């Protein structure tokens, strides 16, 4: 089966950047990427600054912010709708799971605490977040009492949480899954459920129903904490942990450095072949990265920043993958 051609590019970085870290989050608004959270030493949050990377000038900056500034955290997620960024959950310096939802207005650099406590999803970290043009979706992660498999949506217009039906028993609670909106459905891809798993599930909000889908083609090996984005009907994944460390979050497991594309119409996987870039432009094996969808030089793709390496060293480089999807 023919592979999907793709091109990785390593981006230069100027200015005072966030530095090496993993278990952080990034999202793009226009030509700027906003990074937040993460760790350099295992389970120790680095800071609570918003770091901005301008893709046009490839320069980092730190804005002056106001409002309800969230405390430092790891295992946090972000998504953006319009010029607003939404940040949910994570784990603080005392290793406690969190469940606050914050918004960050990129036009005013103001933080707002939108929900906490008994409102919305339970406390969690290493969950997954995605968005459409109105909702921010939260799935799974590591909760206070174990791994979760619940799906929530935050309606940014009505400013309220929606709790969706739980999936069937086949969709086990998991950390580090892929979460993507494609074809009007919410897709859960792979993750860690006590072991790395390779199942795919989708939820149809219009019907209120879950389904486990069988995929074919050149399937990726089971993995978690990988980078993933949706582009139209396609789900793109890269890297991730394929064999966990015996030390848990304190150590590095075995990481993948390959990429795959799932067509959500045909349910066929294809491998991404980097036939157009040089070796130095490929990020190599890694997991626990910050990642997000965005555009570079007029082309849509996947931005990957930092993460953990097979030697358990945190990374501080930035790469952009442009797949040729036809």
């Amino acid at each position: 089966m023919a592979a999907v051609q793709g091109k990785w590019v390593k981006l230069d970085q100027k200015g005072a950047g966030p530095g090496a870290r993993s278990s952080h989050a990034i999202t793009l608004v226009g030509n700027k990427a906003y990074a937040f959270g993460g760790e350099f030493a295992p389970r120790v949050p680095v800071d609570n600054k918003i770091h901005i990377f301008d893709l046009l000038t490839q320069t980092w900056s730190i804005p002056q912010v106001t409002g309800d500034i969230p405390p430092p955290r790891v295992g946090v997620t972000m998504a953006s709708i319009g010029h607003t960024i939404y940040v949910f959950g994570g784990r603080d310096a005392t290793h406690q799971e969190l469940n606050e939802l914050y918004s960050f207005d990129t036009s005013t650099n103001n933080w707002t605490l939108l929900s906490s406590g008994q409102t919305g999803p339970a406390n969690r970290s290493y969950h997954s977040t995605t968005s459409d043009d109105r909702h921010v979706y939260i799935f799974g992660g590591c909760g206070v009492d174990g791994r979760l498999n619940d799906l929530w949506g935050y309606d940014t217009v009505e400013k309220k949480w929606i709790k969706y039906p739980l999936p069937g028993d086949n969709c086990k609670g998991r950390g580090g899954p892929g979460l993507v909106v494609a074809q009007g459905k919410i897709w859960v891809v792979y993750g860690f459920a006590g072991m790395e798993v390779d199942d795919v599930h989708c939820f149809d909000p219009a019907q209120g129903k879950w389904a486990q889908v069988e995929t074919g083609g050149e399937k990726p090996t089971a993995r978690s904490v990988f980078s993933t984005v949706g582009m139209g009907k396609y789900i793109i994944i890269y890297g991730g942990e394929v064999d966990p460390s015996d030390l848990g979050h304190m150590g590095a497991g075995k990481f993948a450095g390959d990429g795959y594309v799932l067509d959500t119409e045909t349910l066929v996987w294809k491998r991404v072949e980097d036939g157009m870039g040089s070796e130095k432009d490929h990020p190599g094996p890694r997991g626990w990265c910050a990642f997000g969808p965005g555009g570079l030089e007029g082309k849509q793709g996947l931005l990957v920043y930092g993460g953990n390496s097979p030697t358990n060293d945190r990374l501080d480089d930035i790469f952009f993958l442009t797949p040729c999807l036809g």
Side-chain angles (χ1 to χ4, degrees), residues 87-116:
V87 176
F88 181 79
R91 185 179 294 172
D92 67 15
T94 67
H95 313 312
Q96 296 298 307
E97 317 295 343
L98 306 168
N99 82 327
E100 304 103 333
L101 176 70
Y102 293 88
S103 66
F104 181 77
D105 188 327
T106 61
S107 62
T108 62
N109 293 332
N110 185 73
W111 285 101
T112 302
L113 177 62
L114 299 176
S115 74
S116 62

Side-chain angles (χ1 to χ4, degrees), residues 243-267:
D243 189 13
S245 167
D246 293 336
L247 300 176
H249 289 299
M250 302 300 287
K254 182 179 179 181
F255 294 119
D258 47 8
Y260 292 86
V261 173
L262 176 65
D263 185 324
T264 60
E265 288 184 348
T266 64
L267 301 179

Side-chain angles (χ1 to χ4, degrees), residues 6-318:
K7 182 179 181 181
W8 281 103
V9 175
K10 184 178 182 180
L11 304 183
D12 293 329
Q13 298 182 64
K14 293 174 283 188
R21 60 185 66 196
S22 64
S23 300
H24 52 316
I26 200 166
T27 192
L28 287 88
V29 177
N31 293 313
K32 294 181 179 179
Y34 293 76
F36 179 78
E39 63 187 24
F40 179 70
R43 298 188 175 186
V44 181
V46 179
D47 61 32
N48 65 341
K49 296 183 176 69
I50 276 277
H51 299 265
I52 304 176
F53 183 69
D54 189 315
L55 286 141
L56 299 180
T57 64
Q58 300 190 8
T59 302
W60 284 103
S61 62
I62 300 175
Q64 293 293 320
V65 302
T66 56
D68 309 316
I69 303 171
R73 60 196 60 206
V74 302
V76 62
T77 58
M78 299 168 67
S80 57
I81 299 176
H83 61 77
T84 303
I85 293 170
Y86 297 88
V87 176
F88 181 79
R91 185 179 294 172
D92 67 15
T94 67
H95 313 312
Q96 296 298 307
E97 317 295 343
L98 306 168
N99 82 327
E100 304 103 333
L101 176 70
Y102 293 88
S103 66
F104 181 77
D105 188 327
T106 61
S107 62
T108 62
N109 293 332
N110 185 73
W111 285 101
T112 302
L113 177 62
L114 299 176
S115 74
S116 62
Q118 298 301 310
T119 303
N123 300 39
R124 68 193 66 203
S125 61
Y126 300 100
H127 48 289
S128 294
T129 297
T130 190
S131 61
D132 55 25
D133 58 1
R134 175 166 173 161
H135 303 88
V136 177
Y137 299 102
I138 308 291
F139 178 82
C142 301
V144 176
D145 298 318
R147 299 180 192 93
L148 302 165
N149 68 345
D150 52 344
L151 176 67
W152 292 74
Y154 182 77
D155 186 325
T156 61
V157 176
E158 297 291 334
K159 301 187 184 307
K160 64 180 182 181
W161 283 104
I162 304 163
K163 184 176 183 180
Y164 296 108
L166 288 170
D169 294 337
N170 289 336
C171 185
K172 294 180 169 34
R174 61 193 64 197
L179 188 68
V180 168
V181 175
Q183 303 288 88
K185 297 178 181 178
I186 304 163
W187 298 74
V188 175
V189 181
Y190 289 32
F192 185 82
M195 58 185 293
E196 312 291 354
V197 293
D198 63 357
D199 52 347
V200 177
H201 304 261
C202 69
F203 177 73
D204 185 337
Q207 300 294 324
K209 292 181 179 179
W210 284 91
Q212 182 172 359
V213 297
E214 294 298 324
T215 60
E218 192 171 355
K219 289 182 62 174
T221 54
R223 64 190 65 196
S224 63
V225 293
F226 49 90
S227 302
T228 182
V229 296
M231 289 179 60
K233 66 174 183 173
Y234 299 101
I235 297 172
I236 303 162
I237 74 169
Y238 152 72
E241 191 172 65
V242 294
D243 189 13
S245 167
D246 293 336
L247 300 176
H249 289 299
M250 302 300 287
K254 182 179 179 181
F255 294 119
D258 47 8
Y260 292 86
V261 173
L262 176 65
D263 185 324
T264 60
E265 288 184 348
T266 64
L267 301 179
V268 171
W269 286 101
K270 291 185 179 181
R271 180 174 52 86
V272 176
E273 185 176 85
D274 184 23
M276 298 179 288
S278 64
E279 186 175 339
K280 71 176 179 62
D281 283 322
H282 194 286
R286 66 180 67 194
W288 312 93
C289 308
F291 56 87
L296 182 67
E297 297 179 349
K299 296 181 179 179
Q300 294 300 302
L302 165 67
L303 184 77
V304 176
Y305 160 50
N308 199 7
S309 71
T311 58
N312 207 28
D313 295 310
R314 271 58 182 181
L315 304 164
D316 66 353
D317 42 14
I318 301 177

